[in-house]
Structures are given as structure tokens and as C-alpha cells.
Amino acid sequence: LTALAISRDNRLLATGDDQGMIRLWDPSTATLLEEMTGHTGPILALNFSADGARLASASEDKTARLWDEAGKLIAILEDHDAPVTGIVFLPGDQEFVTVSEDDRLMRWNSATGERTGAWAGEVKGYLLDVAVALDAISQQAVVVSSQPRLELWEFTGGSGVEREYPEVDTRGTLITSIAISPNSTRVAFATGDG
């Protein structure tokens, strides 16, 4: 497995593998519900919308895909120029965000898959993961880049302003993944050194 996600109501589990296959499971019975094909590279990230009605997938094949809860493809998102490494729904489930090794964060409509915004970073490297604060007011994303730091991107009004978290000590080690607490008061990250 290269990625997994569980719906907030624990009704669905999604897994992705290095062959680009996504599988939907009933986690209470370990029953396979659906196999979803289309990606041509490893699945790098999966994320369910808060209501469980949508699943977004990110792949090394430079695409993200939007699926419904039954595993039906809604949209193929092909605007990134490098592997799509992170994906997360915004509060309210109306939009979601992708990040990529092309150093861009993109915002998408959750119903149609239409791109609603794009921001390029100023990092010397590429973007690896993304998490968002869970309140609809902040409209901020915490982004992990190939540099040993966390960045806060504000993407309201098309500004795409980014700031580095100055107090985060990564000891010079690459940050590989990130999560934000449900009340948006804490950020947790994992580094390449374990």
C-alpha cells in the first residue's frame, strides 16, 4: 500500500497501491466494495470529504482524480506538471486542494473538478504534503516542501501568500507528512529520520 484514507464516519476505507489501483472497503467487515482504475502511477495520497460523498486521489502520474462514494470517476485533474503528492478537502467540502512536485498548490471545485485557483511557491524544491485548518474562516494550508521546513499558505482572494513557521525545528531533516488537529490548534509532522 502507498496510501490510505478512512471516511470520517468510518463507513469507507480507501487504499491505493504502487500500480495505481484504488480499492474501496467496508472496514467493519473487510469486504472489498469497488476497485477503481485509471491512474498510471503509484497512488501518493487519498482523502475523503468530511461527508464521505467524495474521494480525491493524487498520483505520481501527475494527475489527481475525483470519485464519488461508489467509486465512479467524476473528474480527472491534469493541470500539474509533476507528481501530485498531497490532497485535502477544505472545510465545507465545496473545494479541495492539491500540491505537487511542480511547486504549485491548486484549488478545485468538489462537485465538478474545475480548477478555482493556483499558486506557485517560492521554495527551492517541491511540495510533498498539505493539510488545512478545519475552520472555514482561516482559509490557510500548511504545506510541506522538500526543504526541511513547514510553510503556511494563505489562499484567499488569490493572494497565495506564504510564510515559514519559524519555531519549527526539523533538525535539518526532510518532513514527509503533516496533520492538523481537529480544533486547528496543533500541527504534527513526520520526518524522514523516523
Side-chain angles (χ1 to χ4, degrees):
L1 292 182
T2 56
L4 66 89
I6 192 159
S7 61
R8 200 171 283 182
D9 61 5
N10 296 320
R11 194 173 48 84
L12 294 171
L13 171 71
T15 60
D17 67 24
D18 61 356
Q19 301 299 307
M21 175 73 72
I22 300 169
R23 292 178 175 87
L24 282 180
W25 305 84
D26 177 339
S28 65
T29 63
T31 303
L32 178 63
L33 303 173
E34 190 67 40
E35 291 186 331
M36 298 139 64
T37 60
H39 281 294
T40 59
I43 305 300
L44 301 179
L46 295 166
N47 193 265
F48 279 102
S49 58
D51 63 7
R54 297 280 187 266
L55 174 68
S57 58
S59 174
E60 194 171 284
D61 68 7
K62 303 179 186 176
T63 71
R65 292 175 189 248
L66 184 63
W67 313 83
D68 70 14
E69 63 185 318
K72 180 182 175 199
L73 182 64
I74 296 169
I76 301 171
L77 316 171
E78 301 178 293
D79 292 9
H80 283 291
D81 298 324
V84 182
T85 53
I87 198 160
V88 65
F89 282 87
L90 297 176
D93 291 339
Q94 300 300 307
E95 293 182 302
F96 63 98
V97 171
T98 57
V99 293
S100 169
E101 290 182 9
D102 65 9
D103 192 27
R104 292 188 296 163
L105 179 149
M106 294 189 186
R107 193 167 168 170
W108 309 87
N109 180 292
S110 297
T112 64
E114 179 182 335
R115 191 174 79 185
T116 58
W119 296 268
E122 300 295 327
V123 297
K124 293 181 177 78
Y126 49 86
L127 303 180
L128 293 174
D129 200 4
V130 62
V132 295
L134 296 181
D135 63 276
I137 297 169
S138 69
Q139 296 299 294
Q140 296 175 337
V142 179
V143 177
V144 175
S145 74
S146 62
Q147 301 298 306
R149 66 182 186 201
L150 295 178
E151 297 173 357
L152 180 66
W153 288 29
E154 298 178 20
F155 45 90
T156 55
S159 65
V161 175
E162 61 181 275
R163 295 181 282 147
E164 184 175 347
Y165 272 87
E167 61 278 350
V168 174
D169 180 12
T170 65
R171 296 180 178 89
T173 304
L174 180 70
I175 299 170
T176 57
S177 61
I178 186 166
I180 297 178
S181 66
N183 64 2
S184 300
T185 60
R186 296 180 188 258
V187 175
F189 60 90
T191 60
D193 66 357

XYZ file of all heavy atoms in Angstrom, residues 6 13 35 110 150 162 184 188:
59
model
N -9.634 6.897 5.552
C -10.885 6.369 6.074
C -11.871 7.525 6.181
O -11.487 8.644 6.541
C -10.691 5.648 7.429
C -11.948 4.875 7.797
C -10.267 6.604 8.521
C -11.737 3.773 8.784
N -13.205 2.702 3.733
C -11.749 2.745 3.762
C -11.280 2.705 2.315
O -11.752 1.883 1.527
C -11.191 1.540 4.520
C -9.675 1.328 4.454
C -8.947 2.397 5.254
C -9.309 -0.057 4.956
N -13.133 -1.625 -7.023
C -11.779 -1.363 -7.492
C -11.855 -0.246 -8.523
O -12.636 -0.328 -9.465
C -11.157 -2.625 -8.093
C -10.875 -3.690 -7.059
C -10.124 -4.885 -7.612
O -10.277 -5.186 -8.819
O -9.375 -5.498 -6.843
N -15.270 20.714 -5.692
C -15.518 19.312 -5.336
C -16.666 18.675 -6.101
O -16.765 17.455 -6.154
C -15.815 19.189 -3.842
O -14.709 19.588 -3.094
N 8.201 23.859 7.474
C 6.764 23.933 7.230
C 6.447 25.338 6.764
O 7.057 26.304 7.222
C 5.983 23.664 8.522
C 6.103 22.288 9.135
C 5.299 22.229 10.427
C 5.597 21.234 8.172
N 2.734 33.100 1.334
C 3.295 32.012 2.117
C 4.258 32.548 3.164
O 4.917 33.550 2.960
C 3.990 30.983 1.236
C 5.148 31.513 0.439
C 5.757 30.444 -0.426
O 6.610 29.703 0.073
O 5.398 30.375 -1.605
N -7.712 22.688 15.146
C -6.761 23.554 14.429
C -5.756 24.251 15.340
O -5.209 25.284 14.978
C -7.509 24.592 13.585
O -8.333 23.958 12.649
N 1.092 18.368 13.607
C 2.006 17.248 13.808
C 2.650 16.926 12.476
O 2.010 17.033 11.429
C 1.248 16.029 14.336
